[in-house]
Amino acid sequence: QVQLQQWGTGLLKPSEALSLTCAVSGGSFSGYYWTWIRQPPGKGLEWIGEIKLDGTTNYDPSLSKYNPSLKSRVSISVDRAREQLTLRLNSVTAADTAVYYCARGGWLQLWGQGTWVTVSS
Amino acid sequence: AIQMTQSPSSLSASLGDRVSITCRASQDIRSDLGWYQQKPGKAPKLLIYGASSLESEVPSRFSGSGAGTDFTLTISSLNPEDFATYYCLQQYAYPNTFGQGTKLELK
């Protein structure tokens, strides 16, 4: 049975960087779109961003800028050799506390189990 | 960003009932809409894509309809395992956006 497995740091301090990884077991990694989604406690789903087959990325613009240099706070990448998907979110705050999911496919047909990330001082 | 508004936010129904959940987009999104079911503590599951296409292995009591700005998810006869929260997702434009969710509860 094809499954997505996620892992990463679950407890962060404000201003630290979040890094999560996602991999496929029992199935194919290549040839798919990959997406990250998060869900704050007790709230709905939030789309973070995706990476397409050609490596093009699209992000939620509310995460894509931080002051003052207007550089992106979020990045999604794939390591095709390791067949792993990575999410990196810089300068986290308490508002980034959520369950983070990776999902495979254009319509998010397959989801990871979710990773709880708590940001607290 | 395109706003997706689901209604109702919560719904109480009985086993065997026919229920419908609506999702309205703030602009035309053609048929670029999916529906997802989420149970507590679990990842969401795709039910419908392209507004009306049933995902593989999803029971036929689930159906989707609509195009443009107004969409509906219908469950023809509620089973015990259908009590969950349902979300719509538009993939017409970036950023993709979810509706706020509809919690379906047992009456």
Side-chain angles (χ1 to χ4, degrees):
Chain A
Q1 184 178 1
V2 184
Q3 292 183 324
L4 299 185
Q5 296 179 332
Q6 304 177 214
W7 64 91
T9 306
L11 180 61
L12 296 167
K13 290 181 167 39
S15 80
E16 292 183 337
L18 176 159
S19 181
L20 298 175
T21 303
C22 174
V24 183
S25 65
S28 176
F29 180 87
S30 61
Y32 292 94
Y33 283 30
W34 289 90
T35 304
W36 286 97
I37 304 99
R38 69 181 183 181
Q39 186 169 34
K43 295 189 178 181
L45 302 169
E46 298 179 354
W47 186 87
I48 297 172
E50 71 174 15
I51 186 164
K52 297 183 177 181
L53 297 175
D54 62 0
T56 302
T57 51
N58 291 286
Y59 302 118
D60 182 346
S62 70
L63 298 173
S64 66
K65 294 186 174 142
Y66 74 95
N67 290 324
S69 62
L70 299 183
K71 289 183 180 178
S72 177
R73 197 162 74 88
V74 60
S75 68
I76 297 173
S77 60
V78 295
D79 182 330
R80 300 200 182 277
R82 294 186 175 185
E83 297 196 325
Q84 293 178 354
L85 170 76
T86 297
L87 169 70
R88 184 174 176 89
L89 183 64
N90 295 322
S91 303
V92 297
T93 70
D96 296 311
T97 293
V99 176
Y100 286 75
Y101 295 100
C102 61
R104 188 187 79 172
W107 280 106
L108 316 185
Q109 291 93 325
L110 183 65
W111 292 62
Q113 81 278 16
T115 302
W116 258 111
V117 175
T118 301
V119 181
S120 174
S121 56
Chain B
I2 297 175
Q3 303 295 317
M4 304 301 295
T5 304
Q6 287 183 232
S7 60
S9 296
S10 63
L11 176 59
S12 294
S14 302
L15 293 175
D17 281 356
R18 178 185 178 92
V19 298
S20 292
I21 297 168
T22 297
C23 188
R24 175 164 288 176
S26 60
Q27 67 181 73
D28 187 343
I29 61 168
R30 301 187 308 187
S31 295
D32 294 337
L33 184 108
W35 289 98
Y36 298 81
Q37 176 194 67
Q38 186 180 33
K39 296 182 179 179
K42 300 295 186 182
K45 172 187 174 184
L46 175 65
L47 301 174
I48 302 287
Y49 63 94
S52 60
S53 296
L54 190 68
E55 172 67 350
S56 176
E57 300 185 5
V58 172
S60 60
R61 63 181 180 274
F62 291 93
S63 64
S65 63
T69 60
D70 293 314
F71 302 86
T72 301
L73 172 70
T74 299
I75 309 172
S76 60
S77 179
L78 280 172
N79 283 14
E81 61 269 29
D82 299 338
F83 294 95
T85 300
Y86 293 84
Y87 294 92
C88 60
L89 168 68
Q90 71 80 16
Q91 294 207 85
Y92 176 77
Y94 295 112
N96 295 169
T97 43
F98 288 94
Q100 82 278 13
T102 295
K103 187 173 184 179
L104 178 55
E105 298 174 304
L106 181 61
K107 185 183 290 184

